[in-house]
Amino acid sequence: MIAAGLDPISQFELHKLAEFKIGKYDLSFTNSALMMLVAVALTVFWLFMSTSKRSLVPGRAQSIAEISYEFIASMIRSTAGSDGMKFFPFVYSLFIFILFANMLGMVPFFFTTTSHIIVTFVLAMMVMSVVVLYGVFKHGFGFLKLFVPSGIPMAILPFVTLLEIISFLSRPISLSVRLWANMLAGHILLKLFAGFCIMMVTAFGLFPGVLGAIIPFSLTLALTPLEFLVAFVQAYVFALLTCVYLSDALHPGHH
Amino acid sequence: MFLTLDISLFNLAASAAPKGSGDVLNAEHHESSSAFPPFDPTYFPSQIFWLLVFFIILYFILSKIFLPRIGETLEERSSRIADDLDSAALMQNEAQEAEKAYERALSDARAKAHTVSETTRQAIESEINAELDAADQEAMKQAESAELRIRKIRDAGMENVETIAVDVSQDIIEKMLGKKLTLATIKKAIG
């Protein structure tokens, strides 16, 4: 019973909130879907409140919205060039969605959408489909130059090309696993150390148990801000790598 | 006491979501929870579906409403700043020209003032000279007439002295000699 309550994995379980089926697929609205909805709703609410005034001299809220805009815009300009700005809404949406999903996961008892590999994998596959579709649409067969770097001696060119293909194919995996594993590991750690505090108190009673809980409690205290940092950094890394990959679609053979 | 409280807390956390969805679902959930939840394929279609739905909604709301709005505000601000800088440069030019005009006007005025003061000075000088001359002449005239009058008065005085002398001598002679001499003889004697 105690083990079930303190199980660090149980926080990742999905629960149906509303039954919904299309054909043979079970598309029920789950706690994960609820958190996605909350993330989207919060984003829209935040941007609505902060941009409704549109004042020339921004207030605090408007400044934050503008800083987030400039943050992503300058990230795209520096990695993919100014013609990468056509992907700006996509990258901004990805960044904000992942950031809000990660941050919502830090609220106690809230589900962390990005702690499920399928969610991060779909996000990564969205990026890769945009890269491939745009690359083929814009450059046709020229997009294949991505796999054949220029200035490589003929002797090792096939080997390098093979490596390039493998690295390209592993991108969605690395992109999705990086985000997922960070969120998963962080939440397991937090739950473990927080659970140790409870275990100490339940096993040894209030007085000696609290003393035993000091170390896991201080670790929880230290890990919490670290996890907030990870939540932001992972959203940033995801957006940054998206920009880098989009840069390949824009300028294949430039590397 | 503490034990039961803690357990109920965690059970609450674990079972908060499925409370409303019924016993059948709960049974299903217990079946599937044997696998590591993030790898459990039961809810893959649901997660993919809702992720795509919500992400596409977010993408359209952001790209159609909010991002253009922020972008416009930023652009407006930067163009406003550029405009303001332009007009500031323009105004600075104007100010410099105004300063030049002012300096020109100032030096003109200074030169003019100089000539004006010079002519005034000359005019005043000549006026003073003329008045000095006039005053000199007037003084000379008055001095001459005064001299004339003095001479007249002296002459008259001299005449008076003669008559007084005659009268006095007549009186003296009369007192001393006891006889009266005529005026004519006395005059002759004195003259």
Side-chain angles (χ1 to χ4, degrees):
Chain A
M1 201 61 179
I2 300 172
L6 299 178
D7 178 14
I9 303 301
S10 66
Q11 60 175 320
F12 304 112
E13 276 166 13
L14 287 164
H15 313 292
K16 283 184 194 177
L17 299 180
E19 193 90 29
F20 178 57
K21 260 187 175 139
I22 292 181
K24 66 188 171 85
Y25 293 110
D26 180 8
L27 304 180
S28 297
F29 193 82
T30 60
N31 48 351
S32 170
L34 177 68
M35 280 300 132
M36 295 175 193
L37 175 63
V38 171
V40 171
L42 270 181
T43 308
V44 170
F45 177 74
W46 164 59
L47 284 176
F48 177 78
M49 293 311 282
S50 56
T51 62
S52 56
K53 266 197 267 169
R54 292 205 224 185
S55 43
L56 204 62
V57 180
R60 209 172 292 166
Q62 196 183 331
S63 270
I64 295 171
E66 283 169 8
I67 287 167
S68 74
Y69 183 103
E70 285 292 333
F71 178 63
I72 300 296
S74 65
M75 187 198 289
I76 295 178
R77 282 196 206 100
S78 60
T79 51
S82 53
D83 50 348
M85 281 304 282
K86 57 169 81 75
F87 296 114
F88 174 70
F90 178 61
V91 179
Y92 188 87
S93 306
L94 270 177
F95 174 72
I96 285 296
F97 183 78
I98 295 172
L99 181 69
F100 272 70
N102 291 354
M103 286 300 180
L104 278 174
M106 289 306 295
V107 179
F109 301 120
F110 274 34
F111 183 80
T112 315
T113 306
T114 41
S115 66
H116 274 240
I117 183 77
I118 186 69
V119 173
T120 60
F121 188 69
V122 168
L123 289 171
M125 280 316 287
M126 276 198 285
V127 174
M128 295 329 283
S129 348
V130 168
V131 168
V132 171
L133 287 178
Y134 182 81
V136 171
F137 169 75
K138 191 74 191 286
H139 305 285
F141 280 110
F143 183 58
L144 293 176
K145 269 191 285 184
L146 181 64
F147 304 117
V148 191
S150 50
I152 302 288
M154 275 309 283
I156 58 164
L157 193 60
F159 179 65
V160 172
T161 305
L162 186 69
L163 273 184
E164 287 286 339
I165 291 171
I166 292 170
S167 93
F168 185 84
L169 292 179
S170 61
R171 275 175 187 181
I173 299 167
S174 68
L175 197 57
S176 55
V177 168
R178 183 182 301 109
L179 174 59
W180 163 72
N182 268 289
M183 298 321 292
L184 183 87
H187 281 82
I188 289 178
L189 267 182
L190 275 181
K191 181 74 181 244
L192 266 179
F193 286 122
F196 280 152
C197 303
I198 308 287
M199 269 162 69
M200 287 294 173
V201 176
T202 52
F204 301 113
L206 188 57
F207 170 61
V210 165
L211 294 180
I214 286 175
I215 292 172
F217 182 76
S218 47
L219 276 170
T220 313
L221 209 62
L223 275 174
T224 306
L226 179 75
E227 284 310 310
F228 275 108
L229 182 71
V230 167
F232 173 79
V233 165
Q234 286 307 315
Y236 169 71
V237 165
F238 199 99
L240 186 68
L241 287 173
T242 301
C243 292
V244 172
Y245 299 160
L246 286 171
S247 161
D248 282 347
L250 288 160
H251 332 278
H254 265 218
H255 68 125
Chain B
M1 172 66 197
F2 267 101
L3 192 119
T4 49
L5 187 99
D6 290 326
I7 288 167
S8 63
L9 187 80
F10 274 88
N11 280 343
L12 192 81
S15 62
K19 211 158 235 179
S21 45
D23 286 335
V24 186
L25 291 173
N26 258 342
E28 222 175 75
H29 150 71
H30 280 300
E31 253 170 57
S32 62
S33 72
S34 56
F36 185 50
F39 289 144
D40 180 9
T42 319
Y43 291 106
F44 277 7
S46 150
Q47 279 177 296
I48 295 170
F49 174 74
W50 289 110
L51 175 63
L52 290 178
V53 166
F54 288 131
F55 188 79
I56 287 166
I57 289 172
L58 179 73
Y59 177 80
F60 274 101
I61 292 174
L62 288 187
S63 64
K64 296 290 172 218
I65 303 170
F66 292 117
L67 294 180
R69 196 185 276 183
I70 299 174
E72 269 167 33
T73 314
L74 288 173
E75 212 160 282
E76 204 175 294
R77 185 176 308 140
S78 63
S79 69
R80 174 74 180 270
I81 289 170
D83 281 0
D84 283 2
L85 282 179
D86 281 357
S87 60
L90 218 70
M91 279 176 183
Q92 201 181 7
N93 271 352
E94 269 173 30
Q96 275 169 354
E97 256 158 50
E99 199 189 340
K100 264 182 213 158
Y102 161 75
E103 263 163 24
R104 212 179 301 127
L106 193 69
S107 63
D108 282 0
R110 215 172 265 152
K112 210 189 244 175
H114 188 68
T115 54
V116 165
S117 69
E118 191 62 24
T119 50
T120 321
R121 201 174 59 81
Q122 281 172 357
I124 289 172
E125 218 164 69
S126 61
E127 210 171 292
I128 287 170
N129 282 344
E131 266 176 35
L132 273 176
D133 286 354
D136 273 356
Q137 274 174 357
E138 181 75 10
M140 254 151 64
K141 237 185 249 167
Q142 279 184 5
E144 263 170 38
S145 67
E147 226 166 80
L148 213 71
R149 260 172 52 211
I150 289 166
R151 207 178 296 139
K152 260 186 202 159
I153 289 168
R154 210 196 327 169
D155 287 356
M158 287 309 275
E159 246 169 67
N160 283 350
V161 165
E162 208 168 305
T163 52
I164 287 168
V166 171
D167 281 349
V168 168
S169 359
Q170 194 179 15
D171 281 352
I172 291 169
I173 292 167
E174 203 179 326
K175 294 260 166 76
M176 283 172 68
L177 301 179
K179 67 172 187 181
K180 204 169 179 173
L181 293 177
T182 60
L183 279 177
T185 43
I186 292 170
K187 249 181 203 170
K188 213 184 272 171
I190 289 170

